[in-house]
């Protein structure tokens, strides 16, 4: 079907379906605001993101400690994603679909994307470490469970299985973001957050931030059989594989699907700011 005919069939004058146009507009509007944050705003928002995910980790560990299985614990972890959603904070791995689409549409530049990614990543880890230290001080009964959970990740060898788990982890959280931006319904957004947490934490996928907080918690107990260098040896490939999963398996395909609409938006951006 030609773009001209597709425009005539839809309610909007867009080369993509009306539902996709609404989601695209929502992503670009939100992404433009996020990418034009100051360093202070990026770091503070990322810090809150780390602390809110840590609350989800607390719920996850508490359920495991009570004797429930990991799938139930994954549902409990959804508290962290719900806090991110309703608190409007930022998680590093949520910064793939929306910001990249915004840059592709010409409403922000690569430098702003790099600032968002780097600042959010560091702030997530710092905020998460702070709250995990408090959690370990407040709940000594969770020390053993935290160390056991952390060992699953930090001692994982660099293998095809580990990389695949990390790629899937990045894909799942970016898919969650895509689902949340595909609806105006708060209930729908909450359902996407719960589903994402169930798959990510419930199935033990590798996630650079979530699992780092488990490792930080174990290190804060003072009884972990590993150190920060062991965490770093796991973290670097997990973060890269998360990016591959989120960017290649979700974001790139969405950009290809909306290629004509992105080109139109870039032309409009050039007219709005010709010296950009």
């Amino acid at each position: 079907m030609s773009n001209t005919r597709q425009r005539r069939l839809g309610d909007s004058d867009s080369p993509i379906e009306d539902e996709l146009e609404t989601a695209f507009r929502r992503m670009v509007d939100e992404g433009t605001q996020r990418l034009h944050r100051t360093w202070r705003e990026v770091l503070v928002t990322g810090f809150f993101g780390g602390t809110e995910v840590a609350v989800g980790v607390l719920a996850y560990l508490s359920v495991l400690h009570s004797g429930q299985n990991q799938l139930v614990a994954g549902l409990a972890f959804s508290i962290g994603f719900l806090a991110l959603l309703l608190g409007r904070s930022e998680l590093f791995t949520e910064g793939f679909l929306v910001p990249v689409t915004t840059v592709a549409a010409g409403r922000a530049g690569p430098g702003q994307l790099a600032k968002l990614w780097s600042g959010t990543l560091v702030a997530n880890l710092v905020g998460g470490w702070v709250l995990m230290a408090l959690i370990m001080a407040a709940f000594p009964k969770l020390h053993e469970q935290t160390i056991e959970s952390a060992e699953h990740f930090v001692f994982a060898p660099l293998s095809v299985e580990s990389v695949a788990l990390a790629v899937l982890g990045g894909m799942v959280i970016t898919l969650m973001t895509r689902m949340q931006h595909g609806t105006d319904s708060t209930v729908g957004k909450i359902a996407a957050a719960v589903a994402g947490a169930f798959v990510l934490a419930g199935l033990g996928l590798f996630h650079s931030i979530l699992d780092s907080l488990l490792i930080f918690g174990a290190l804060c107990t003072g009884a972990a059989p590993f150190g920060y260098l062991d965490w770093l040896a796991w973290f670097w490939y997990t973060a890269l594989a998360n990016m591959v999963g989120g960017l290649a398996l979700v974001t790139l395909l969405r950009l290809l699907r909306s290629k004509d609409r992105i080109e139109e938006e870039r032309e409009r951006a050039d007219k709005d700011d010709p010296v950009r």
Side-chain angles (χ1 to χ4, degrees):
M1 182 184 296
S2 67
N3 284 340
T4 301
R5 179 165 175 75
Q6 193 164 26
R7 291 174 193 268
R8 291 174 180 170
L9 291 175
D11 293 331
S12 64
D13 184 24
S14 174
I16 56 179
E17 289 92 334
D18 292 337
E19 291 82 1
L20 290 178
E21 171 63 24
T22 300
F24 177 83
R25 189 71 263 162
R26 187 183 295 117
M27 284 192 291
V28 171
D29 289 345
E30 178 186 320
T32 301
Q33 295 179 53
R34 288 165 63 182
L35 285 165
H36 285 82
R37 289 171 180 160
T38 64
W39 271 109
R40 174 180 56 83
E41 292 168 331
V42 168
L43 294 175
V44 172
T45 306
F47 184 91
F48 278 128
T51 60
E52 289 164 359
V53 169
V55 173
V57 173
L58 170 60
Y60 173 86
L61 291 170
S62 298
V63 170
L64 287 178
H65 178 72
S66 70
Q68 298 295 324
N69 63 39
Q70 188 165 328
L71 293 176
V72 177
L75 289 176
F77 173 73
S78 64
I79 293 170
F81 282 170
L82 291 174
L84 286 172
L85 171 67
L86 301 177
R88 308 297 297 173
S89 50
E90 188 91 45
L91 191 65
F92 166 64
T93 47
E94 285 187 306
F96 298 152
L97 179 62
V98 174
V100 171
T101 299
T102 304
V103 171
R107 294 299 178 177
Q112 291 164 306
L113 180 62
K115 178 176 73 174
L116 179 70
W117 279 354
S118 60
T120 301
L121 176 60
V122 172
N124 282 168
L125 294 173
V126 173
W129 188 96
V130 169
L131 207 66
M132 289 307 300
L134 289 173
I135 289 170
M136 291 300 102
F139 296 95
K141 66 180 181 180
L142 295 180
H143 287 191
E144 184 178 348
Q145 180 62 62
T146 304
I147 293 171
E148 179 183 337
S149 297
E151 286 177 341
H152 170 71
F153 301 102
V154 77
F155 287 147
L158 177 54
S159 63
V160 172
E161 178 183 351
S162 297
V163 172
L165 286 169
V167 170
L168 288 172
M171 186 202 76
V172 165
I173 196 166
T174 307
L175 179 60
M176 181 187 76
T177 303
R178 179 183 174 185
M179 290 191 292
Q180 289 174 336
H181 284 83
T183 180
D184 286 322
S185 168
T186 300
V187 173
K189 294 177 186 290
I190 290 173
V194 173
F198 176 79
V199 175
L200 187 66
L203 299 182
L205 302 183
F206 283 18
H207 185 271
S208 53
I209 304 299
L210 162 60
D211 304 333
S212 287
L213 301 197
L214 285 170
I215 295 169
F216 290 164
L219 289 167
C220 288
T221 68
F226 50 81
Y228 285 98
L229 289 180
D230 297 303
W231 161 72
L232 192 59
W234 169 87
F235 177 80
W236 75 266
Y237 76 81
T238 301
L240 287 177
N242 283 168
M243 294 183 71
V244 170
L247 294 172
L249 297 183
V250 180
T251 304
L252 178 59
L253 296 177
R254 186 60 181 264
L255 293 179
L256 289 174
R257 180 66 182 83
S258 306
K259 178 177 178 293
D260 295 330
R261 181 65 182 86
I262 288 172
E263 291 177 350
E264 284 189 355
E265 191 66 24
R266 288 192 69 87
E267 291 177 1
R268 292 177 185 174
D270 289 338
K271 291 178 181 178
D272 293 341
D273 186 8
V275 298
R276 176 182 54 82

